[in-house]
Amino acid sequence: MDRREFLQGAAGVAGAAMLASGVNAWAQSNKDRMIGIQIGAVSFVDEGVDKVLDEMQRANINTLFIATFTYGRGIAGRQIPGQPLPDHGSQKYDTDTFYGGAYTNITPKYYEDTTFKNFRAPDLGNFDVLEAVVPAAKKRGMKVICWYEDVFRRDLPGIEKLQEVSLNGQNADTLCFNNPEYHNWLMDIAEDWSRSYDIDGIMWGSERQGAFANVLGSRHAPIQPMTATCFCQFCNAKAKALGIDSERAKAGHLKLAEFVAASRKQQRPVDGYYVEFWRLMLKYPELLAWESLWTNSLHDVQKGIYSRVKRVNPQLGVGWHIWHNNSFSPIYRAEQDLAEMAPYSDFLKVVMYHNVAGERMVEYINSVGSSYFADVPKQQLLDFHYRLLDYGAEKGMADLAQTGFSADYVYRETKRARAALQGVQTKLWPGIDIDIPTANGHSKCTPEGTKAAVAAAFRGGADGVLLSRKYSEMKLANLRAAGEAVKA
């Protein structure tokens, strides 16, 4: 079955049944609770493979999610420069050496249909993390899952052919899912790992959303409205095939960007911010159509990766990292329908980073509170979101960044995700925050908080937990506390 046939078939009952049977088979063969950790190649180089695996087993970890490709520091490299170094690994930053790319060897034949061919990470020389770690992990009964993300650099040769186009007409740092070369490349690299190494699965993540949500600032760490994407030739062609007027879609986003810019300057419309926001949506229904187009393109990539990997080896697990914005933005949450994703998901890592969530929720409220919700006082807006998202008695705006979210947030989010999966056998693995960097004076992880978060995830119905973001920023006391919670 080629990609086009798969995407067409997946829309029907027969395609859905085929996918669901793959999920069920994988779930039945993986009945034990998964205790995983995200880890980059540099940790094995700095500390040695056996030493790292010894530490993993002390924390009761049975699955390694190895960052096999990224150009971002979130899942690869040492500690973020400026943040305190952890109590293990090299005691210096890798500011001068980190570059990113693939931390495995590359098999050229898999990348013949894309111009993006030279992406081997230069950071660690010829070190192949899977070649070095998989055999040692297997001897200890540990599984290995390749973990890659949708993060690139602007200075990569030929990357401009794959980049999204921003509302302002300029190329973005991000790549377009509707660009056939990039779409194919995401499948190709998954196939390369699946055929070339004795791995147990693949996890891919994309921490992005469509232009409508981005222009509104419906996210933590908002972007400038005019840099929202994507309006490239491939998106325009897909829109035309779907009967969406791309010119009106772009015009609507430009009007929305003007509205947000004026809102941030406290230039209140006559009828208020929220009414004006709805007026724009009614005038330009293409706004939501374009957002749906982008989101469906993201899910088409997931379906494609799933199909490609299963064609290579049906026994490999395939799943997705679901961005933390799922915990803040009702728009983004609506776009991540877990029941609809289940037929092409053996597992879901739903991010539930309790500690950094406080800081991020404050950023989110400040963002939407200066655009379409600008008429609502910030504390009332936070309370409104707590009610919408079914959160309990979390802290207010004045204290939330300093305290973070409680373990109850992890419990509620796990319970919600379990219910949203509607009884299917897709594994639910909450992403648990261990020492994800926060600003000075803001909440920091503790062993007690880590234990409580892990326990809350299992109490909410999790099939396992995935300790995140990366081992190279975790303190050993917090990592071991997670292991103690698992044992308890």
Side-chain angles (χ1 to χ4, degrees), residues 7-50:
L7 293 178
Q8 291 172 343
V13 176
M18 181 274 288
L19 290 172
S21 64
V23 173
N24 293 342
W26 191 84
Q28 287 294 333
S29 65
N30 290 272
K31 294 180 179 179
D32 295 335
R33 283 185 172 177
M34 194 285 302
I35 314 301
I37 189 170
Q38 294 180 181
I39 185 167
V42 71
S43 292
F44 296 105
V45 173
D46 286 347
E47 302 180 39
V49 172
D50 286 331

Side-chain angles (χ1 to χ4, degrees), residues 65-266:
F65 288 73
I66 299 179
T68 40
F69 173 88
T70 183
Y71 284 99
R73 280 191 168 276
I75 66 171
R78 296 182 189 142
Q79 175 63 289
I80 301 295
Q83 290 286 335
L85 290 164
D87 52 351
H88 59 91
S90 178
Q91 294 301 295
K92 62 180 181 181
Y93 300 105
D94 55 358
T95 312
D96 298 332
T97 57
F98 178 78
Y99 187 86
Y103 291 93
T104 65
N105 291 322
I106 296 170
T107 309
K109 67 179 181 180
Y110 294 115
Y111 309 99
E112 294 175 352
D113 57 353
T114 174
T115 57
F116 187 46
K117 295 179 173 66
N118 301 315
F119 51 87
R120 183 69 159 91
D123 316 13
L124 307 176
N126 293 324
F127 179 75
D128 182 324
V129 66
L130 294 180
E131 190 176 81
V133 176
V134 169
K138 296 288 184 181
K139 287 180 181 178
R140 297 170 183 249
M142 303 174 75
K143 294 182 178 181
V144 173
I145 291 180
C146 292
W147 158 217
Y148 70 127
E149 64 174 350
D150 180 36
V151 178
F152 292 81
R153 302 172 59 104
R154 290 191 71 95
D155 58 356
L156 299 171
I159 203 69
E160 67 279 357
K161 296 180 181 179
L162 312 180
Q163 288 173 329
E164 290 189 304
V165 175
S166 301
L167 186 55
N168 59 18
Q170 298 178 359
N171 279 17
D173 293 345
T174 49
L175 308 191
C176 181
F177 299 135
N178 291 319
N179 185 310
E181 288 198 35
Y182 181 47
H183 188 104
N184 289 339
W185 182 88
L186 288 167
M187 317 298 130
D188 295 339
I189 196 168
E191 179 172 356
D192 191 352
W193 292 324
S194 299
R195 290 191 185 276
S196 303
Y197 301 93
D198 184 22
I199 59 172
D200 297 283
I202 300 280
M203 182 172 77
W204 178 69
S206 179
E207 297 195 340
R208 298 200 277 139
Q209 60 187 357
F212 174 73
N214 276 335
V215 171
L216 284 176
S218 185
R219 53 181 288 162
H220 64 92
I223 65 172
Q224 292 300 315
M226 291 298 292
T227 65
T229 57
C230 176
F231 300 89
C232 75
Q233 59 175 318
F234 301 105
C235 290
N236 289 339
K238 185 172 184 177
K240 184 177 180 180
L242 294 171
I244 302 171
D245 188 327
S246 59
E247 291 301 320
R248 278 192 54 82
K250 187 170 184 179
H253 281 91
L254 288 169
K255 288 292 185 182
L256 189 65
E258 291 176 8
F259 161 73
V260 171
S263 300
R264 290 177 177 175
K265 295 176 183 177
Q266 299 181 340

